[in-house]
Amino acid sequence: MKKRILIIGACGQIGTELTLYLREKFGNHKVIASDIREGEAELMQSGPFEILDAMNYDAIQEVVIRYEITDVYLMAAMLSATAEKFPMKGWNLNMNSLFHVLNLAKDKKIEKIFWPSSIAVFGPTTPKIDTPQRTVMEPSTVYGISKQTGERWCEYYFKRYGVDVRSVRYPGLISYKTLPGGGTTDYAVDIYHKALKHKKYICFLNAETTLPMMFMDDAIKATVNIMEANTEKIKTRNAYNLSGMSFNPEEITASIKKHIPEFKISYEPDFRQAIADSWPQSIDDSEARDDWGWKSEISLDEMTEIMLTNLNDKY
Ligand code: AKB
């Protein structure tokens, strides 16, 4: 098989698990991990790794040519909370890295791109419950504006240049292998660590803040499935809605208490509350289901069990 994959941003929360999954599926030497810093030992030791800055077109091109890359997964991004602190840095990273890979595909140096979008493309004027695939989109965060703009460019490059780019709108992602960084949904990972370590957690969102979330295994499955689907099945070239589960801090606390009854949560909402309030509570992903057979599998209680079991050794 000719396929050779480059993951840019391989050491982040999604990149780490995606790299390991793809190495298992296609063979270690077929999947080149890259990031601006080194990552977890398992990732570094299981296959090729390159230090690579997602903002540097020439460096990306050099790696693409040297390894004869066919597919690129662009996982480097600045997430919502950090991008509010560094708006221009967030915009530059999120947009320039996307243009670099889109242009490599336009120039036929790579064949296929995965680029993640987010529920952050939606804003305060979007219908909040069962948010449809196509609806009002007026994002109010730098991150959301960069993702919405990125979606428009993906569709443009597909229509104008035939670039095979595929994308999904990730909800908040929860995993035990690598910590997230700089997102508004990060509390839903941190809460498990703190529940095991301190039996209490101070949440930066209020008790009723319901957000769409997903366990990492489901997210990886969606990512690889959309990339491996036959081209004619991918009818949306901006990004597909994706749904896993929806919960608020009170509900995840109740799920944790089934295992750790003494666990306590308190609330000190900060600037991330306004970001969360601008996002949907639940997502309608029927187009992804119909077009390429997407289906989430892991519920809140199943996820809690997996998280606590796997993090238990750490604390
Ligand atoms: C964030 O919170 O910024 C991300 C996202 C929803 O895209 N997890």
Side-chain angles (χ1 to χ4, degrees), residues 73-113:
Y73 289 74
L74 173 57
M75 310 312 287
M78 191 183 286
L79 298 187
S80 57
T82 309
E84 287 309 295
K85 292 186 185 151
F86 308 104
M88 288 323 297
K89 255 187 163 170
W91 175 259
N92 288 336
L93 171 63
N94 294 356
M95 298 315 301
N96 291 349
S97 56
L98 174 60
F99 278 123
H100 291 343
V101 293
L102 286 174
N103 285 326
L104 282 169
K106 173 178 156 247
D107 295 342
K108 309 274 179 252
K109 289 177 179 141
I110 53 175
E111 290 170 14
K112 218 194 276 183
I113 299 167

Side-chain angles (χ1 to χ4, degrees), residues 141-264:
T141 62
V142 172
Y143 175 65
I145 297 168
S146 75
K147 289 295 178 187
Q148 192 200 26
T149 311
E151 286 193 9
R152 303 318 316 148
W153 279 109
C154 286
E155 192 174 86
Y156 183 87
Y157 268 68
F158 171 73
K159 286 193 171 147
R160 175 104 198 253
Y161 307 117
V163 166
D164 189 354
V165 54
R166 301 165 184 214
S167 180
V168 293
R169 295 173 179 149
Y170 285 137
L173 299 181
I174 294 135
S175 61
Y176 57 85
K177 285 199 178 143
T178 317
L179 286 169
T184 302
T185 57
D186 294 7
Y187 92 86
V189 179
D190 201 25
I191 195 169
Y192 288 110
H193 289 262
K194 298 285 169 19
L196 286 164
K197 202 172 171 189
H198 305 303
K199 315 283 182 254
K200 59 181 187 204
Y201 180 64
I202 303 172
C203 188
F204 58 75
L205 299 180
N206 69 35
E208 300 83 35
T209 311
T210 300
L211 287 170
M213 301 276 187
M214 183 177 285
F215 187 57
M216 186 60 84
D217 287 16
D218 271 345
I220 299 295
K221 198 180 67 177
T223 305
V224 177
N225 285 0
I226 192 174
M227 275 296 263
E228 293 306 308
N230 287 338
T231 309
E232 65 276 8
K233 292 199 165 165
I234 310 301
K235 300 192 178 104
T236 292
R237 291 295 181 155
N238 48 0
Y240 277 94
N241 273 5
L242 218 56
S243 173
M245 59 187 99
S246 285
F247 59 78
N248 62 34
E250 208 167 18
E251 288 161 339
I252 191 173
T253 299
S255 180
I256 293 172
K257 271 173 174 275
K258 290 180 190 166
H259 303 263
I260 310 174
E262 66 275 34
F263 176 58
K264 288 207 167 22

